[in-house]
Amino acid sequence: MSLTVTSLLSVLVLGLCSLGWAAYRHFDGAIARVNWDIEGSRPAGAAGEQNIPLLGDDSRTGTNGEYGVVDGVRSDTTIIVHFARSGSVTLLSFPRDMLVPVVPPTRAAARDGRAKLTEVLQLADVPGLVTTLESLTGLKIDHTISINLAGFRTMTDAVGGVTVCVTPLPDGSTRNLHDTMSGWDGRLGENRLNGEQALAFVRTRYALGDERLRVLRQQQFLAKLLATATSAGVLSNPAKITALLGAVGGALRVDKGLDQTAMLTLAKRASGLGAGGVRFVTVPTRVALPVDGAVDGLGTVPPHGAVLVAD
C-alpha cells in the first residue's frame, strides 16, 4: 500500500482551491489529531526546513473486511517529505524490509534490538517509529501524517482515477502483470486505475520479487497521482475538490502539533509544487550478506527473515 503522499496532496489542494475557509474547516474537523509524545534526545532542526513522515499503514478500518484481517498495524509505506529552505521538496522512501535498530531498543522483539522497518510501528507505535527514523537519518522529524487503506482507495477515486504505464521487469519477464496476493491484474502499457485497482497496484509485492521494485512502483504512482490531483480539471471542479478533501480527512491521523496554523503554512509551501517540483529518492539498500548475519543467498538474517540492509 502507499499513498501516503495523498495526505500531502490534501493540504496542497487546500492551498490552491477556491472553496475557501468553509472547505478547510470541514476538512480540518475530520482529521484525527493524536498526542504522540516523542521522548529521549532528538536531532536539532534546521531553520527553514521541515521533515514530515508520511505513513501508509495497513489498517483495515473502513474496508469492510475486503483485505482480510491483520494482527496489529504495520507501516506498508514510509516516506519522509523534506521541505528544504530553497523551496524544493524531496520524498525519501524507505523499503519496508529494511533491517533497522529500533529506538528505543527495549521495544524490539529480537535480542539484537533490530526489526524490519515495517514492524516498528507495531512494536513501538508512531513515537518509536519517529525516533527510529531520526536515529537512522539524523533528521529532526517535525510532524507526522498517517493514512490507511480505505483513505487511499477513496482518494484515488476522488480525482477520477490515475493512469500508469507498466513495462517488463529488468530481467525481461512480465510476472509483474499479475499478483494473486494483492489482486493486481494489468497489462503492458497504459493502465487506467480506479481506487480498488490502484490499491492492488501499489500493494503488489510477490510478483515483483524485490521490495526495491515495489518502492519504484509506488513512487511512479504517487507522481501520477500528484499530477492528476493538481491538474486544472480537478482544481476547477468544486465537486471533485469536495470529494478529494472528504476522502482524505476521515482517513488521516496527524500529530497534535499539526494544527490549523501549521496545516495552512504547509499548504502555502506546497501550493507552488507540481509533479515536476517533487524529487523521489530511495534509501540505498542491498540484500543482506553473510557479513550482515545472513545464512543464505536470500538475505535471511535470523530471526528476522529475508531483509535488506543499508548500503
Side-chain angles (χ1 to χ4, degrees):
M1 172 328 197
S2 174
L3 64 17
T4 53
V5 82
T6 56
S7 45
L8 176 62
L9 292 173
S10 64
V11 293
L12 186 152
V13 171
L14 286 172
L16 293 174
C17 76
S18 58
L19 294 186
W21 185 247
Y24 171 73
R25 291 189 63 181
H26 174 74
F27 167 77
D28 188 72
I31 297 173
R33 287 189 167 86
V34 185
N35 186 23
W36 289 313
D37 289 327
I38 312 299
E39 300 178 351
S41 59
R42 306 182 63 192
E49 297 187 353
Q50 278 192 310
N51 298 294
I52 302 177
L54 302 180
L55 309 177
D57 67 50
D58 64 0
S59 167
R60 269 52 172 177
T61 301
T63 63
N64 298 318
E66 295 176 56
Y67 305 107
V69 178
V70 293
D71 181 18
V73 177
R74 297 171 178 81
S75 54
D76 259 5
T77 305
T78 302
I79 299 173
I80 292 181
V81 182
H82 174 70
F83 290 88
R85 271 176 299 209
S86 64
S88 65
V89 174
T90 300
L91 271 65
L92 176 64
S93 297
F94 295 80
R96 56 171 282 155
D97 291 337
M98 183 177 177
L99 189 61
V100 298
V102 180
V103 179
T106 54
R107 300 301 297 271
R111 291 183 179 180
D112 63 8
R114 298 183 296 174
K116 291 183 179 181
L117 186 63
T118 184
E119 299 168 339
V120 177
L121 187 62
Q122 182 178 12
L123 293 170
D125 203 8
V126 171
L129 182 54
V130 168
T131 52
T132 296
L133 289 173
E134 287 186 335
S135 175
L136 190 65
T137 65
L139 297 173
K140 167 70 182 304
I141 300 301
D142 298 287
H143 299 292
T144 304
I145 301 174
S146 177
I147 190 170
N148 60 27
L149 295 180
F152 173 74
R153 181 179 61 185
T154 310
M155 171 74 178
T156 305
D157 285 333
V159 301
V162 173
T163 298
V164 297
C165 183
V166 178
T167 61
L169 290 172
D171 63 5
S173 75
T174 58
R175 66 177 184 274
N176 57 332
L177 298 182
H178 309 285
D179 190 294
T180 57
M181 296 297 291
S182 74
W184 163 244
D185 188 19
R187 62 178 183 271
L188 292 178
E190 290 191 345
N191 292 255
R192 184 68 180 176
L193 310 178
N194 61 21
E196 189 74 24
Q197 295 161 339
L199 198 54
F201 179 74
V202 299
R203 293 181 68 225
T204 298
R205 294 187 64 201
Y206 297 100
L208 298 176
D210 189 323
E211 174 66 18
R212 291 164 293 186
L213 293 177
R214 182 171 180 261
V215 169
L216 291 175
R217 171 172 281 203
Q218 292 175 350
Q219 291 174 346
Q220 175 199 11
F221 181 84
L222 297 180
K224 295 294 186 180
L225 180 61
L226 179 59
T228 303
T230 57
S231 68
V234 172
L235 297 180
S236 62
N237 187 323
K240 285 189 176 182
I241 295 173
T242 301
L244 186 64
L245 299 182
V248 177
L252 281 184
R253 294 194 305 153
V254 305
D255 64 276
K256 282 190 174 295
L258 199 55
D259 56 17
Q260 289 187 359
T261 300
M263 287 285 281
L264 289 173
T265 300
L266 183 58
K268 184 177 180 181
R269 295 196 70 169
S271 62
L273 296 172
V278 178
R279 178 180 176 232
F280 290 89
V281 296
T282 305
V283 173
T285 55
R286 56 174 169 77
V287 174
L289 301 171
V291 69
D292 306 306
V295 296
D296 58 26
L298 301 177
T300 302
V301 177
H304 306 289
V307 298
L308 300 171
V309 296
D311 188 349

